[in-house]
Every structure is written in C-alpha cells, then in structure tokens.
C-alpha cells in the first residue's frame, strides 16, 4: 500500500518561492502519476498540475504555467512542487496525490487514489 | 476552458435518504468525470472515475452516471459517514487540464 508523506508547513513572503516535497513508500514509484492539488482556506479544490513518473513528463494547469514546476526524483521516491512569485492568494493547503498502480497516462491524473497529508503554505508579509 | 457547475451547493438530508448531486460541464467531456468526497481537515477521497466506475474500496451505495455534459453522483442510502463535501472533477485523455466543480456540502437535516 502506497503512503505519501509531505514536508511540513511553510511561511513565505510575497514574491518568494516555496518547494513542497512528497515522499512515497510502498509500491513501485514510477508506475504511477502524481497530481498536485491545492485548497485555499474555506474554498474548493484546485488542480495545479502533475507528473507522469514513467516518462518524467510534467503537465500544468494553464493558470499556473510559468510559475510552477513539478519534478520527481526516482532515487528517493520523492516528488516536488515548486511555486514561485508567491502572493497572498497562494495561501492554501497543498496536497500531492498518486494514481493507482499501472495507471500512467494523462487521464490518470484524475484518478487520485493515494493522498499526502497536506502542507499548509502561508504567504504573508 | 471547460467549466464545471455543481448543484446544489448544499443539501440537508437524513440517514437513509437517497441523495443525488449533479455536475454540468460547459462542453462535451464524454465520460471523463470523477467524483471525490472530502471531510473537514482531511484529504479528498476518490469515489468514482470515468463517470460510473467505482474506485476500489468504495462502498456500493455510491454510484455515478452520465455522459456528455450532465452527470450525477447518487448515494443510495445516506450513512452517517457520508456527511461531507463532494466535488466533481472533469478531465480529458488528451489535454491535461483538469477542473473541479465548486462542491456540494451534504449536511445533516
């Protein structure tokens, strides 16, 4: 059974960047896709982008193009989400999520079966 | 961009009730739709993918239907553990631009 453990809460100033990690244990790391989803306080869910681990291919929501980079390190079974030029509206809980095993296509971004515990990122001056 | 509209935004129901949540897409998305459940302070949980496929481990009282632009999530007999917020998610096998609906909060009547 896959478990995802995310890095701890972060506080950043506007204009800076943040990098959140998501370490997977159990299962075969590159047999999945990983999505990143965020949720601002009291708001709904927002898909930011993801990575197809088998190919190392990243895809991003248009809203975040140019401001987010999603990567993965197969040697440590860890995925990363790097968000730049932070503003107060980026204050949110950021989740990583992984597809079931052997689900490794673009459509598998929507099949978020395993989830990390979430990382609160607070952007404040 | 494809917009997803969920209704209702909130609903009150009792244990044992049949609950139906609707999600409408601004354009045809075939059956590229998933449903998630989220409880306060917790990560979402996948219930349904490809409009009607039940994710492994999800109780059979949950079911999904629809295609094109109109979709429904049905809970056949609401259980105490089902009081939560539900989100639809549209996706596409060709274009990685996913969009969640605004959510439906299912509260105790």
């Amino acid at each position: 059974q896959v478990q995802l453990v995310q890095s701890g809460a972060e506080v950043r100033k506007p204009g800076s960047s943040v990098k959140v990690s998501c370490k997977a244990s159990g299962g075969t790391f590159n047999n999945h896709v990983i999505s990143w989803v965020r949720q601002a306080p009291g708001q709904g869910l927002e898909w930011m982008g993801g990575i197809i681990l088998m190919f190392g291919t990243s895809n991003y929501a248009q809203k975040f193009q140019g401001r987010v980079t999603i990567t993965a390190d197969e040697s440590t079974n860890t995925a990363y989400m790097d968000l730049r030029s932070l503003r107060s509206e980026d204050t949110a809980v950021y989740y990583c999520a992984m597809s079931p095993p052997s689900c490794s296509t673009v459509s598998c971004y929507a099949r978020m079966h395993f989830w990390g515990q979430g990382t609160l990122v607070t952007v404040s001056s | 961009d494809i917009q997803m509209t969920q209704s209702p935004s909130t609903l009150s129901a009792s244990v044992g009730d049949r609950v139906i949540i609707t999600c409408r897409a601004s354009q045809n998305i075939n059956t590229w739709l998933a449903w998630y459940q989220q409880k306060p302070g917790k990560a979402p949980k996948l219930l349904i993918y490809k409009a009607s496929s039940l994710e492994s481990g999800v109780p059979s009282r949950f079911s999904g239907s629809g295609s094109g632009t109109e979709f429904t999530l049905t809970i056949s007999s609401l259980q105490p553990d089902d009081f939560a917020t539900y989100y639809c998610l549209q996706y596409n096998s060709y274009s990685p631009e996913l969009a969640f609906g605004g959510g439906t909060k299912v509260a105790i009547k």
Side-chain angles (χ1 to χ4, degrees):
Chain A
Q1 182 78 336
V2 172
Q3 284 195 313
L4 302 177
V5 178
Q6 298 182 221
S7 48
E10 304 272 12
V11 179
R12 291 286 186 273
K13 292 194 182 304
S16 67
S17 63
V18 68
K19 192 168 188 174
V20 181
S21 68
C22 171
K23 184 172 177 61
S25 60
T28 304
F29 187 65
N30 67 356
N31 204 21
H32 308 261
V33 305
I34 286 182
S35 284
W36 286 88
V37 172
R38 77 177 187 179
Q39 186 168 38
Q43 302 300 309
L45 302 170
E46 186 170 33
W47 186 80
M48 301 179 67
I51 183 166
I52 301 175
L53 294 172
M54 186 176 296
F55 306 115
T57 306
S58 300
N59 302 100
Y60 306 110
Q62 198 163 4
K63 173 178 178 177
F64 298 99
Q65 286 273 6
R67 208 161 67 93
V68 69
T69 302
I70 294 171
T71 57
D73 182 344
E74 196 176 335
S75 68
T76 59
N77 287 2
T78 304
Y80 299 92
M81 187 283 298
D82 187 357
L83 186 61
R84 302 175 291 278
S85 302
L86 290 168
R87 32 212 189 228
S88 58
E89 310 89 87
D90 294 317
T91 294
V93 175
Y94 290 76
Y95 293 102
C96 63
M98 183 178 267
S99 63
S102 302
C103 193
S104 298
T105 62
V106 167
S107 65
C108 295
Y109 282 136
R111 253 189 101 179
M112 293 175 265
H113 187 87
F114 305 103
W115 289 76
Q117 82 276 20
T119 296
L120 175 62
V121 175
T122 303
V123 183
S124 173
S125 54
Chain B
D1 289 0
I2 299 174
Q3 307 299 319
M4 305 303 295
T5 303
Q6 268 185 252
S7 60
S9 55
T10 61
L11 71 87
S12 297
S14 301
V15 172
D17 284 353
R18 181 182 180 87
V19 169
I20 297 175
I21 298 168
T22 298
C23 192
R24 287 189 174 85
S26 58
Q27 56 185 274
N28 186 348
I29 59 170
N30 295 305
T31 55
W32 299 112
L33 189 98
W35 289 98
Y36 285 82
Q37 176 195 67
Q38 187 182 32
K39 297 179 182 178
K42 301 292 187 183
K45 175 185 176 181
L46 175 62
L47 301 174
I48 302 283
Y49 65 98
K50 212 156 189 303
S52 60
S53 296
L54 194 68
E55 184 70 346
S56 63
V58 175
S60 59
R61 62 180 180 274
F62 292 95
S63 64
S65 65
S67 66
T69 61
E70 188 148 340
F71 302 85
T72 58
L73 172 71
T74 301
I75 309 172
S76 60
S77 177
L78 196 68
Q79 298 302 299
D81 192 47
D82 301 338
F83 291 99
T85 300
Y86 294 83
Y87 295 92
C88 62
L89 171 66
Q90 74 84 16
Y91 60 108
N92 191 306
S93 67
Y94 310 109
S95 169
E97 190 73 38
L98 282 64
F100 284 96
T104 296
K105 182 176 181 178
V106 176
I108 301 172
K109 183 184 280 185

